[in-house]
Amino acid sequence: MQKRGWRRLIVDAVLVGSGCSVLYVGFLWLTLPDISNPRTFIAAQSSVITDRTGTELYRLFGEQDRTYITGDAIPQHMKDAIVAIEDARYFEHGCFDVRAIARAVFVNAFFGQSQGASTLTQQLARNALLTREKKISRKIKELMLACGLERRYSKQELLELYLNWIPFGQNVYGLEQASRTFFGIPAKDLTLAQSAVLAAIPQRPTYFNPYGNNVRTRVTEPSLRKILDGTITKASDIPDANLRMGLLGANAGTGTTLLYIGGRTDQVLRNMQ
């Protein structure tokens, strides 16, 4: 009888817990933004004041300096670059990537390294529709919204929205404004190399700021000495702890011991290959 009583208690607890979970998820679903209205995704754009010839004189914006552009104004190599570095299986998986989640759990558990598993669609949902609070409820909403977005919009449409929303640091949001700020050209004129640079920024826009301290990759003094004396002959031999990856690669050493060490942009190009 005592065992049956405990079993009954456990079953009741599981049922109550399951019921509460369903009610909680249902509540979150009711509070989701309306993704059926395209206006939901029309990001705030900067106001531009020009002279009579159309030359820009001033830009007025709040926290986000952005100029929205359509997908046909975005070069294909820019789309390829952002997919390669942010979500390589973007066109293969659904609203979430089971393989990426499994990999992130494994790396976090066995190597103690923090690795994300968010798809481009999840990132779009987070940036465009949700607050930045790091709560479980926000993550659940993010997944629910991502699945809703994948059902309603094509991959190409979502990629266009994503490239218009993502932050590039320094109040610069969206690809068009990033291209004009960092290269002085519209996004449609970006070269492959310039696209790789821009694709390298959004994951850590403050750290990879083109005007910041991490423009070039750097190595610590002990590793530099080993490069000079020939002990280290390949960039892959440098311990991670002795390497500070920058937006762009850099040369270390001198003369015959000169060694090129790649940066975040090199990683984008490798992924594209």
Side-chain angles (χ1 to χ4, degrees):
M1 286 293 294
Q2 190 174 10
K3 285 185 178 179
R4 288 182 181 176
W6 276 108
R7 287 175 183 171
R8 183 63 185 176
L9 185 62
I10 292 171
V11 170
D12 289 345
V14 170
L15 290 174
V16 170
S18 300
C20 290
S21 297
V22 171
L23 288 173
Y24 179 61
V25 172
F27 168 75
L28 293 179
W29 181 80
L30 290 172
T31 60
L32 292 177
D34 180 15
I35 60 173
S36 63
N37 184 0
R39 293 186 64 83
T40 303
F41 296 98
I42 298 178
Q45 297 190 64
S46 304
S47 298
V48 180
I49 299 174
T50 65
D51 62 17
R52 66 178 64 183
T53 64
T55 302
E56 181 178 311
L57 300 177
Y58 302 103
R59 294 184 67 83
L60 305 176
F61 56 91
E63 294 183 0
Q64 301 182 5
D65 186 6
R66 176 189 284 108
T67 301
Y68 198 96
I69 56 173
T70 57
D72 55 9
I74 302 173
Q76 185 60 45
H77 47 251
M78 181 66 224
K79 296 177 183 178
D80 294 339
I82 201 70
V83 168
I85 194 64
E86 292 290 342
D87 187 0
R89 298 182 61 250
Y90 174 66
F91 290 101
E92 300 170 27
H93 60 65
C95 50
F96 57 90
D97 189 350
V98 176
R99 189 186 302 178
I101 293 172
R103 183 180 64 247
V105 170
F106 179 81
V107 170
N108 293 346
F110 293 96
F111 296 95
Q113 299 175 4
S114 179
Q115 186 175 93
S118 294
T119 64
L120 285 184
T121 311
Q122 286 176 252
Q123 293 178 46
L124 171 63
R126 182 191 314 147
N127 282 304
L129 302 171
L130 299 174
T131 63
R132 301 196 177 197
E133 291 181 287
K134 292 187 176 181
K135 293 183 177 180
I136 294 177
S137 60
R138 194 205 67 171
K139 194 65 180 178
I140 296 173
K141 284 185 176 183
E142 180 185 304
L143 287 169
M144 295 168 72
L145 283 169
C147 291
L149 290 170
E150 291 271 354
R151 285 195 301 269
R152 186 168 290 274
Y153 300 98
S154 71
K155 290 284 189 178
Q156 290 293 348
E157 289 172 325
L158 291 172
L159 186 56
E160 174 188 326
L161 289 167
Y162 177 86
L163 284 167
N164 275 290
W165 269 97
I166 51 175
F168 287 86
Q170 294 188 322
N171 298 107
V172 177
Y173 283 75
L175 175 65
E176 178 70 7
Q177 201 52 41
S179 179
R180 291 182 180 276
T181 299
F182 301 132
F183 294 115
I185 57 174
K188 65 181 180 64
D189 295 332
L190 286 169
T191 65
L192 172 60
Q194 291 167 335
S195 296
V197 170
L198 292 181
I201 298 174
Q203 189 181 72
R204 300 174 66 186
T206 301
Y207 181 87
F208 290 121
N209 183 348
Y211 303 128
N213 298 321
N214 301 303
V215 176
R216 293 283 180 181
T217 296
R218 290 176 288 170
V219 296
T220 59
E221 193 62 34
S223 288
L224 181 58
R225 286 198 296 268
K226 289 183 178 181
I227 292 172
L228 291 171
D229 66 21
T231 305
I232 291 179
T233 58
K234 296 183 297 183
S236 57
D237 293 335
I238 302 173
D240 290 341
N242 293 353
L243 185 66
R244 191 181 181 100
M245 181 180 284
L247 177 63
L248 306 175
N251 291 315
T254 182
T256 57
T257 61
L258 195 65
L259 183 64
Y260 179 77
I261 305 168
R264 174 78 172 168
T265 301
D266 295 270
Q267 187 178 349
V268 174
L269 292 170
R270 282 198 303 272
N271 289 5
M272 290 180 72
Q273 289 177 343

